[in-house]
Amino acid sequence: MSEPDAAPAPARRGGNGRAGRVAYDLDAVLAVAVQAFNERGYDATSMGELAERLGTSKSAIYYHVSGKQELLRLALERALGNLEALLQEPDGQPGGAPDAAAPSALERLERVIRGAVRVLVQELPFVTLLLRLRGNTDVEREALARRREFDHAVARLVEEAVADGALRSDVDARTATRLLFGMVNSLVEWYRPGGGLTADQLADAVVAMAFEGLRAQPGARR
């Protein structure tokens, strides 16, 4: 997995660089592009600057993609695809046994939140880019629409957990979802890889802080 400040890896296939210049594979080009988009903003980043950062030619980048917009689309797909996959797995875990007892809404919600923390840690620069979108292009607007649908799906899990009596009913589900992801998304502002906290430790902390506050208390009025 590429980190925003990692040195690009040499390409595994040739033909996309000029003599005396190092050729890069698509993952390396994408990593440099995302770093530039996060630092300067998508609109302010040119293909020429990306080529300069890579130490190659613009034509070498065009060998892999049609342009800057495709780099943005690929980067956002990497973040959104991983988040959406958390909702597609029946029990929130890859390879879950189909004949196992169906998990409760609360269990699925906790697993989605844990998974979202892991995705953020593992794909930090890509999720950071997603969270900073302004909706200035069709690609950005489509990504924002997909992000809203993800939030709505999580809100439906909150509603199910409330209906089950597992979560308190005096907090609106959409508000609870915004607060949950406000906590998760804030990690991009301070989390740094290699800082001593693993993805699982962060996920444990978020779940403990969130659900001990949201969980219905015995004897509480409905």
Side-chain angles (χ1 to χ4, degrees):
M1 180 179 317
S2 301
E3 294 184 1
D5 55 352
R12 289 185 292 273
R13 55 181 180 174
N16 64 330
R18 296 178 181 175
R21 289 175 171 171
V22 178
Y24 295 100
D25 64 14
L26 178 57
D27 284 344
V29 172
L30 193 58
V32 169
V34 170
Q35 182 180 14
F37 296 161
N38 283 333
E39 290 175 356
R40 292 179 46 78
Y42 171 75
D43 292 333
T45 303
S46 67
M47 291 293 282
E49 179 179 348
L50 295 181
E52 184 177 345
R53 287 185 179 224
L54 285 161
T56 189
S57 63
K58 286 193 289 186
S59 62
I61 301 176
Y62 287 123
Y63 177 84
H64 296 292
V65 294
S66 59
K68 190 175 70 166
Q69 183 169 266
E70 186 177 357
L71 286 169
L72 178 64
R73 181 184 60 78
L74 290 171
L76 295 175
E77 180 59 40
R78 184 153 159 179
L80 284 164
N82 279 295
L83 289 172
E84 291 166 344
L86 299 173
L87 298 170
Q88 294 165 0
E89 292 154 357
D91 67 350
Q93 298 281 358
D99 57 347
S104 68
L106 179 61
E107 289 172 328
R108 284 180 285 149
L109 179 61
E110 287 189 4
R111 288 172 180 175
V112 168
I113 298 302
R114 286 183 183 278
V117 172
R118 293 190 186 102
V119 169
L120 187 145
V121 170
Q122 294 165 1
E123 305 288 359
L124 182 60
F126 297 88
V127 176
T128 299
L129 179 63
L130 173 64
L131 295 178
R132 293 178 179 174
L133 291 184
R134 297 186 177 183
N136 294 335
T137 66
D138 288 341
V139 171
E140 292 175 84
R141 287 187 286 272
E142 179 183 348
L144 289 172
R146 288 171 64 183
R147 181 182 164 193
R148 283 192 296 272
E149 182 51 41
F150 176 81
D151 289 346
H152 293 165
V154 175
R156 289 191 289 271
L157 281 178
V158 174
E159 290 171 348
E160 288 182 43
V162 170
D164 290 345
L167 294 181
R168 58 194 297 170
S169 58
D170 58 334
V171 178
D172 173 73
R174 293 288 174 86
T175 301
T177 302
R178 291 187 180 100
L179 291 171
L180 282 170
F181 278 97
M183 188 186 309
V184 173
N185 295 342
S186 71
L187 297 177
V188 304
E189 302 301 331
W190 59 267
Y191 175 75
R192 295 295 178 269
L197 283 174
T198 67
D200 286 342
Q201 288 171 329
L202 278 173
D204 287 344
V206 169
V207 167
M209 292 293 292
F211 292 101
E212 290 308 312
L214 287 172
R215 196 180 304 276
Q217 300 300 313
R221 294 181 62 184
R222 296 281 299 183

